[in-house]
Amino acid sequence: MSKRPPQPLPLRHPDWPQRLADYIEQRRAQPFAWGAQDCCTFAGDAVLHLTGADPMADLRHVKTAAAATRLLKRHPLPALVAERMGAMRPATLAHRGDVVLIEQEARQLLGVCLGSHWAAPGDAGLVFGPMDAALGAWPAGRGA
């Protein structure tokens, strides 16, 4: 993976709140699928909708659980995201639309902050949980 510092994400689109709402509705019933609706593509697509930039573009080749496991053994998830989005900040500083680190069934994964709750891909569609359980966050674009 890259050792160069991450490039700052662009400003959010002026209509980002509506874009975020539309994105969550679009993905609400979409089941988990490697490379299409896994936690990295879900978070990357959210940032793409809000800013026009995809910080996870180079991870879209991961299309199986085995490939994800190999990648995460070499690069823990927080480090993988930090390489693309900068240093993780406390979850208490997350704003709507930001990428968040959560833990489900003893596994770390990415979600998107919706305010007091987060959304993340689940087996049958999005799952939601309280932001007070999030472990950290990354801003999804400037102006966040």
Side-chain angles (χ1 to χ4, degrees):
M1 294 285 114
S2 171
K3 292 294 182 193
R4 61 180 163 63
Q7 295 298 310
L9 290 169
L11 290 171
R12 289 183 178 192
H13 294 291
D15 63 342
W16 73 264
Q18 186 60 52
R19 286 174 179 252
L20 178 61
D22 293 346
Y23 176 69
I24 296 300
E25 281 310 307
Q26 173 192 9
R27 294 291 184 98
R28 185 176 293 275
Q30 187 174 341
F32 182 93
W34 290 108
Q37 178 78 338
D38 58 55
C39 75
C40 285
T41 56
F42 176 74
D45 285 346
V47 176
L48 182 62
H49 275 72
L50 299 183
T51 70
D54 182 2
M56 307 298 180
D58 67 322
L59 299 177
R60 293 186 182 272
H61 69 279
V62 177
K63 303 223 184 264
T64 66
T69 299
R70 284 191 302 274
L71 177 65
L72 292 172
K73 279 186 180 180
R74 293 189 316 266
H75 306 277
L77 190 56
L80 205 63
V81 179
E83 287 178 358
R84 288 152 185 79
M85 297 185 69
M88 184 170 69
R89 63 186 188 180
T92 55
L93 299 178
H95 295 234
R96 286 187 324 132
D98 286 351
V99 174
V100 295
L101 181 69
I102 57 177
E103 189 169 312
Q104 291 284 310
E105 300 174 9
R107 288 189 327 249
Q108 290 185 338
L109 59 121
L110 301 177
V112 174
C113 175
L114 302 178
S116 63
H117 287 75
W118 50 258
D123 289 340
L126 294 182
V127 294
F128 301 87
M131 272 302 294
D132 61 5
L135 306 173
W138 293 269
R142 295 180 311 205

